[in-house]
Each structure stands twice: as structure tokens, then as C-alpha cells.
Amino acid sequence: MIRRYIANISTSIFQRAGAAVALLALTVGCSSTKPSNTAAASMPTESAVVAQPPTSVLAQNSKKTKKSFSVPSCQQNDSFTESINFAIQASNLVQSANSKEDWDEVAALWVQAVAWMQAVPPGNPRRAFAEKKVVEYMKNLVYSQQQAGAARSSSASTVSFSSDLLDEQLELYLSYVAAVGPPDVLIVGSSRALQGVDPKQLKQSLATNGSPGLKVFNFSVNGATAQVVDFQLRRLLKPEHLPQMIVWADGVRAFNSGRDDRTFNSIVDSEGSRLLATGVRPKLPSDRPNSTPQCFRFPQLCPDNIFRKAQTSVKKPVMGRQNANLITQFNLSRTGILPVANIASGGQNANPTTQFNSSGTGILPVAVAAKYLPLSTPARVAIRQVSTLADSIDSNGFMPMSSKYNPNTYYRERAYVSGRFDRDYEDFNLGGKQAKAFNSAVAFVKNRKIPLVFVNLPLTDDYLDPTRRSAEQQFRRRMQQLSQQKGFAFRDLSQRWPGRNDYFVDPSHLNRFGAIAVSRLLASDSSITWPRPKSRSTDG
């Protein structure tokens, strides 16, 4: 079971904000011809700053040869004013946002506000202020995207399987398949796999080791047993949604038939399972035929190569940077009001941690001055509680956890439970229903010629008391026998790093650093034959 869920946003979301939006600006095909809102130019707040046009970098260096461009010059638009205008529109719209469409529009406005603010040239005197505004606007963008996601989830037609995380992961997986096709490598398992194998790191490491272009997705679910994984592979997913290869990462607890399999029992009794029995599989809603595409206005490609540099920097790998831990946490109060930004320093490496704490104002205080907002009438803001589970999972289904296990402090907050009294090891039995489910899943993937690699994930030394160590030994012997009999690969990493507590978030769950290490280890295993990319589509 997962001990603690913390809503984490990817470490690079703010570091690469300008680069990401700039790259989007170069790829969006629909551009609006609607003139922007220029009301902000007459506003008293920041008027002294807005009144003066930005200074071009080319103008600062008269020795540079000016090149001709087919697109309008950057001097034709005041990027700072454009950004403020979009921010005003977003802040006004949020006062009446009630639906997914409303929040999508709010997010679209913040995207454009970020793009224009990032376009303020480095040599401009407003640049330092603009950089702060980019960070603020990015926070508002993230929050509006979360609200759009929460509204989508509450109105989604996909039925529930009585497991919040399975429902979230299934919706994400189906959306992933719709966007880029089935993954080449699918990771399955319990929370230990959800936190313990990083698909993006595995993809990057595979590319480094000579297998580029593979798409990897983590479809793990907390509490998953062999019965749950068998259900996912054989009954839940359509045949055309299956991968080329499966990495099943877990441990002995998922194979104990003596324990109460609460997750599987809930799934079997769910509405979604009843529909599956009638032949109805989950699917996402189709595109609306009469929907109008959202048009964006972005800065043009500037002569000073701002966007060219940004586009180049996006290609640099960022996974595995242990010195760039930018964590964003959303702490919504009971009032459910839109949060205010609060920046605090983060540790010895000065890695900032951004926390949102509710102010109770009901507005976006970090976006623009409060006088821009129509506060004469009560705001009708539909704030939805965002699932911390969904919020902490990245686009490839992985849940990165940054905390590091310290036994000296860990057990001050929770009682120590030995293996003798651990319900996961209750009436320990490697046969029975879990063995039957595992054999069924192995036969299924073998019949479909899908290679299977089972990874016994690492554990800490203090977790392996005599009861658990005995269970581990039995499990290893059993899996080694089955791998030879049934033709799947078995990799035992259970005691790979028994003393590396910095790789764990608790005694039996890896953190993001342990997940990176596992992913690199699997990618460098020359005895594993990885598939070739089935298509040229990429998941980014």
C-alpha cells in the first residue's frame, strides 16, 4: 500500500516553461486574427511600464547585420502588454468558470500570457520583472489545467471500477493510446511498480543503450495483485491496445493467496466489471463534430534567436537530474478557494518548493492587480477538488516520489509492523488464486507473442525480518522455476540495494531516485531483448 500520496509536478515544468511554450508557438497551426484586448494599456497599475515599447536586441548591437524575415518583426507587438492583456482575460474568466470548457479557455489564455511574457527580450529593462510574471502565470496555468481535468473526470462517460487509481490510470492510458498509439513497453504491477519504474527514464536509457524511439507507459495500480494484473491484460484492454512487451514489476506480497485481495474484490463487484461481462469495454468520448478549435496567438519567431535557443534546449535530457528537484504542491483548504502562491526555499541545494495555500479570496491574486477584476458582483467559481493521486502521476503513468526513507525518523510517526503481523503475509500461500491468475496472464501474453519480463523489485534491509525474508526466498525459487517452465524472463532485484535508504520512500517502496536506478539497470541488461518501435509516433 502506498504510505503517503503527495501531489508532485514534474521537476522541469517551470524551468522549461518558456522553451515549452515557445516550441508550441512554432507548431500550432491555428492562429486567431482577433485583435487582443488592449484595455490594460489604459489601466493605472503598471502603466509606466506598459507605456514604453520594448527595446530590440538588434537595436542594441548596431554592428549586427539585420536580416529580413517573412514574418512580422517582433517590434510590431509589445510582448509585455500582450501578456498582461491575456492575463487580465484569464483572471476575469475564472470568476465565472463552471465547466471543463471554461477552464480549458482559462488555461489557453494563461498559455498565451506565458508565451508573450517569455518573449520580452533579455536585454529589455522589463525582463527581470517579466521572468517573475512567467513563474506566476505558470502556477495559474497549472491550476486551471487541474480544474479542467477535474471537471473532465467528473463528467467522463467512462464507468468506474471502484478503484480511483485504476479509473484514473485507465482514462490516461486510453488517452495515451488515442494520442500516440499503444506503447511498445507496458509496465504493470502494484504501487511498488507505480513508484518503482520510471517509463521516461527507461525510454531515455534504452535510447542511450541502442534502442531509441520506444514508447513506454506505466499502467500500475496501487493494491494490484496477480489477479488484478490478469484482469487488466486479459479483460480490460482491447487486443489492439496491448503493447509489444510487458514489464511486470512487483514482489511476493502480490502473490500471496492467503491475504484478503480487497482491490480485486472491489473491481469484480464494480459497475465497470459488470459491463465488461456483457462485452462492453471502457472507451473515451469521441470528438465533438461541431466543436470549434481553440485558436492561439503567439509571438512571432524573433531575430534574436530567443525561440531558437529555447527549442534547442528542449531536446536536452532532463530526466535523472537529482539537483533539480522543483516540487509543486497544491494544498487546498476546506473552503476550496483558488490558492495563492507561496514560494519557499527547498533544502541544501536551494531547490525551490512551490506551495499553494488557500487565501480565501476566491480570485487569482498572483495573476494581475486585483483592481483589474470585476469584484462588484459575487464570483461564481466552480472549484473542484483535484485528486492528489491523479495530480501526482505524470503523462506516462508514473508516480514520482521524492521523499527519502530515514528509519530514524520514519518510525516516530508510525508504528513498526513485523512480518508476523503484516496482513500482506497473512496465511502465506504461493499457490491458490494468485498463482492461477499469474499462470493465466503468462499464457495469455505468450499466446499473443508478447515477451514478459518479471522484475522482483528492491527492498530495504530492515524490512526483511525473518518472516518476510523467508517469504522472499520461497518466492524467488518459485519464480525461477516458473520462468524456465513458462518461458518468461525473471530478474531478481529484491536485495540489490538493501542499504540504500536514499532510494526508498518507505521500507518497501522506491522513490524517484530508486526508480531511475531500476530503469537504468533494466535498460543496460543485455540479456533482455527489447522490441523495435512499432511506429514513428513519439510520446514526447
Side-chain angles (χ1 to χ4, degrees), residues 262-290:
R262 290 173 293 178
T263 303
F264 179 72
N265 294 337
S266 297
I267 293 173
V268 170
D269 292 336
S270 67
E271 178 187 359
S273 185
R274 288 191 289 272
L275 287 175
L276 275 180
T278 66
V280 179
R281 293 181 185 269
K283 65 178 181 179
L284 296 178
S286 303
D287 288 337
R288 297 179 182 178
N290 297 325

Side-chain angles (χ1 to χ4, degrees), residues 86-163:
F86 280 116
I88 293 171
Q89 295 177 58
S91 298
N92 288 336
L93 180 57
V94 80
Q95 299 301 302
S96 59
N98 281 289
S99 65
K100 174 189 179 301
E101 289 73 16
D102 291 341
W103 285 108
D104 279 340
E105 187 174 352
V106 171
L109 290 168
W110 284 124
V111 166
Q112 294 166 95
V114 169
W116 282 101
M117 192 62 74
Q118 183 67 28
V120 174
N124 192 283
R126 290 179 288 189
R127 176 68 184 190
F129 181 69
E131 290 174 352
K132 297 292 185 181
K133 301 302 290 185
V134 167
V135 174
E136 293 175 1
Y137 291 173
M138 281 298 299
K139 297 169 189 174
N140 295 338
L141 170 60
V142 169
Y143 186 80
S144 58
Q145 289 174 326
Q146 289 179 321
Q147 288 299 313
R152 182 195 69 244
S153 298
S154 63
S155 61
S157 61
T158 304
V159 295
S160 174
F161 288 89
S162 299
S163 168

Side-chain angles (χ1 to χ4, degrees), residues 213-224:
L214 291 172
K215 300 193 298 288
V216 187
F217 190 92
N218 193 325
F219 195 12
S220 302
V221 178
N222 60 317

Side-chain angles (χ1 to χ4, degrees), residues 242-246 442 444-452:
L242 291 171
Q244 293 193 77
M245 182 177 186
I246 293 174
V442 171
F444 175 76
V445 298
K446 186 175 182 179
N447 183 57
R448 292 187 172 273
K449 296 180 172 55
I450 301 175
L452 171 65

